[in-house]
Amino acid sequence: MKLKRVTAILLATVMSFSLLAGCGSSKKEEAPAKDTTEESGDAQTAEKEEESKADTDAGSESAAGGEKTVIRVTKWGDDKPAAENTLVEEFNASQDAIEIQLDVVPGDGYGDRLTTSFSSGDGYDIFLSGEGDFYKWVDLGMVEPLDDLIAADTDWQNPMGESVMDMGVVDGSQRYLVKDYNPICLWYNKDMFDAAGVDYPSESWTWDDLYEAAKKLTTKNENGEFETFGFQAQSWNYAVDTYLESLGFSYVSEDYSTAEGYLNSQGVADALDTYFGWTEGDDRISPNAADTDTYGDGTAMMINNKLAMFITGGWAKTGLEDAGVNYATALVPGNHAAYFCASGYAISSSCKNKEAAWEVLKLLTGERASELRAQNEAAFPTAESQLQAVVDSLSDDQKALLQSLDYSVPPIGMRGKVGSQVNQVLGEVVERIVYHDADTMTILNDALEASKQK
Amino acid sequence: MAGKGRSGKVQSRENRNGYLFVMPWILGFFLFTLLPMVFSAILSLCEWDIVTGLSTIEFVGLENFTSMFKDPKFWQSLKVTFKFCLITIPCYQIASLFVAFLLAMDIKGMKIFRVVYFLPSIIPTIAATMIWTRIFAQDGILNKSLSVIGIKGPAWLTDRNTALYALMIMGLWGVGNTIIIYLSGLQGVSEELKEAARVDGAKGWQIFFKITVPMISPTIFFNVVMAVIGSFQYFTQAYVMTEGGPMQSTLFYNLYLYQKAYKEYQMGYASAMAWVMFIIIMLFTMLVIKSSSFWVYYQNDDKL
């Protein structure tokens, strides 16, 4: 009977505590010495080992007695090894003061994971953000200014040029260190142009030239069904906004102080009507939402010789090359202005060990990080020394991707508070225009009002 | 007396052991159900952007509720949810009962049919939605089938007039659980009663409506209550397949609640929405329970 009681108590206690599992602390005892330099040869396995090591360590008493500062880093990603995996592995093995715990979250769930981690008060010390959210996180008070840390670190050899550093400045304060960036330009399928006997896009192209070419590249079969499309007028905001910018329009004033008269200007309304008009009717030159549902996104359609041109960033390169597509890049028609995409790391304002986090931040955006990214990733690395290697590796057909940087303009989300507010309502604007919910000017006026509530 | 004392001790020891064994559940209930409920009730009267920690919670009284009733998206989400519930609850019940009736027949290979109808229920929702996204595509199986009879089907999920109906059609696929419950109910209907009715000259449909349906009315009652609760909380399929679009035509209540909490960082507003939904579900569930005395027949008078 006694045995039964003891068993019951033990079982209940174990089960109760299992409910509470997961609570941790930011400092932990150092684990007994391990051979962390052991090469696994597989970054994914290395990451799992890292996690399992962290789990083991968290519950163990230190034999050596030393204390490591744990810095928790999160980024989005998939199961492919990224530069961060190698960086973290090398860093953790190289010194005893700081331990980095890297948490890679699938892209779809990244925003939610970030939000919930911060809401619990146990957020990450360092997190990755896309440029579109740079202002938003700062506005929510989640991002630590880096200016003092930079000023105090007189030994820091900043590998980035001024323009790249400036991408991480919000309201005059350095908040992010950009890890990579990606210009947007026009991508085209050379084989489809050749087959249709149409000249390739050139620097002198206007949007009218693109439309005329796209008309020739759009074909139907004998049943009247579309076989190919000349250009994809995507609903993706960055493609829409790049189109507007290349026509000289902007949603906000030059000093980013207001959207009144910009977002709801007649020019913007007319341009949007033209752009989305390309996706409608029997004489359309662009796939519509239903076509995209059927044939896949722009990259998939280009791979299948269904799409001749679309606007996208450098990330399309890998997919097109793997599929053996004979593609090339060109500047966006018009004045060539184009958005760029960037992602940067920030130290969270809830981080308790800012100096240690700063050391990790430097690692994640430093020379070695750029070197690894230049070797394996599609985006441009931030270290000037490594950028040249990437530039040299570009073929003539890919050069426009680089040229496009000379014409790049910051995405709307990076243009101050007003830009960030406008950015939050653009998705609805596009949807309403596509579905003809009202006339475009009314939709833009509504969006202007809605943006003020954000 | 001594024996009584010993038995009392045994009783209290057993009680204590019992409590210890259920303690994990009780702790889990308090920590992960009751506490969050109390917290959300408090939050519904506060403003909180969720990402800046608990210290920034600010009391705003009933503001969340008043702004909710002025929010057109709130009303749209209610409209979508009610439309979905009003159509799917009766349709799914009738369809499930019909299939269960067929599956209750005593013919060769019936077990295979039962497995086939139940299979979709064990497929993870996300996997099922991926399959159905392809089925509903403009060149998907559904439209290809319709084209055989000369109907040109729409792009179901990108057309605002059809997206909600597409989700309803998809839901039919996953009624296996309900079918199984109906099947067990049907198998419990006394053969003697049916036989007696037959002897008295009752026809097949009369037996079904006058004998079978009343006899399985507790099962119908259970399934309807579960359907009311489940339908009002519809979320995953819309989140994965349509994200509330096109043009808010599939903006389910829970989806909008989620967007408010995790996309717009208005946890107070989202909590207020959760409580409004809680009240709505409770009201409708109570309505079904109250009405049950008129249409549910309990053989042994074991009413709720």
Side-chain angles (χ1 to χ4, degrees), chain B residues 5 52 56 59 95 101 110 150 182 227 272 293:
Chain B
T52 44
T56 54
F59 182 77
F101 190 73
M110 186 49 80
Y182 275 129
S293 57

Side-chain angles (χ1 to χ4, degrees), chain B residues 121-136:
Chain B
S121 299
I122 56 169
I123 293 176
T125 314
I126 300 293
T129 53
M130 292 294 152
I131 297 166
W132 280 91
T133 304
R134 287 303 311 145
I135 292 173
F136 285 129

Side-chain angles (χ1 to χ4, degrees), chain A residues 1 4-5 7-9 11-12 15-16 19-20 108 111-112 114-116 118-121 136-137 140-142 288-291 293-295 424 428 431-432 435-437 454, chain B residues 13-14 16-17 20-21 23-25 27-28 31-32 48-54 73 133-134 137-139 155 157-160 239 245-248 258 261-265:
Chain A
M1 203 59 195
K4 269 186 185 174
R5 196 166 65 190
T7 314
I9 293 167
L11 194 65
M15 289 175 82
S16 305
L19 290 172
L20 303 170
D108 285 352
D112 291 351
L114 204 58
T115 311
T116 45
F118 279 103
S119 66
S120 68
K136 186 175 80 180
W137 300 131
L140 286 167
M142 283 170 58
N288 57 26
D291 297 320
D293 240 23
T294 305
Y295 303 119
Q424 292 176 57
E428 205 166 308
E431 193 181 30
R432 289 186 68 193
Y435 285 95
H436 298 287
D437 192 42
K454 294 289 173 186
Chain B
R13 194 186 303 146
E14 281 184 355
R16 206 167 52 229
N17 289 347
L20 275 173
F21 272 109
M23 190 55 77
W25 185 89
L27 274 178
L31 285 173
F32 301 120
W48 183 36
D49 69 16
I50 187 172
V51 287
T52 44
L54 300 173
K73 270 187 160 182
T133 304
R134 287 303 311 145
Q138 200 164 39
D139 69 337
L157 294 171
T158 52
D159 186 329
R160 64 171 136 176
Y239 173 69
M247 289 304 298
Q248 300 169 15
Y258 164 81
Y262 294 103
K263 301 292 172 204
E264 298 182 27
Y265 310 110

Side-chain angles (χ1 to χ4, degrees), chain B residues 173-228:
Chain B
W173 198 59
V175 292
N177 281 324
T178 319
I179 293 173
I180 292 293
I181 296 168
Y182 275 129
L183 186 58
S184 68
L186 287 171
Q187 285 172 336
V189 178
S190 155
E191 275 306 315
E192 287 85 359
L193 277 176
K194 287 197 241 175
E195 192 55 43
R198 240 173 251 126
V199 170
D200 287 344
K203 303 251 184 312
W205 63 269
Q206 282 175 318
I207 294 171
F208 180 75
F209 284 108
K210 306 270 181 183
I211 305 287
T212 310
V213 171
M215 290 302 286
I216 63 162
S217 58
T219 313
I220 298 174
F221 170 67
F222 172 79
N223 277 336
V224 169
V225 170
M226 296 314 285
V228 166

Side-chain angles (χ1 to χ4, degrees), chain A residues 103-115:
Chain A
D103 193 4
V104 181
V105 181
D108 285 352
Y110 182 74
D112 291 351
R113 177 73 161 268
L114 204 58
T115 311

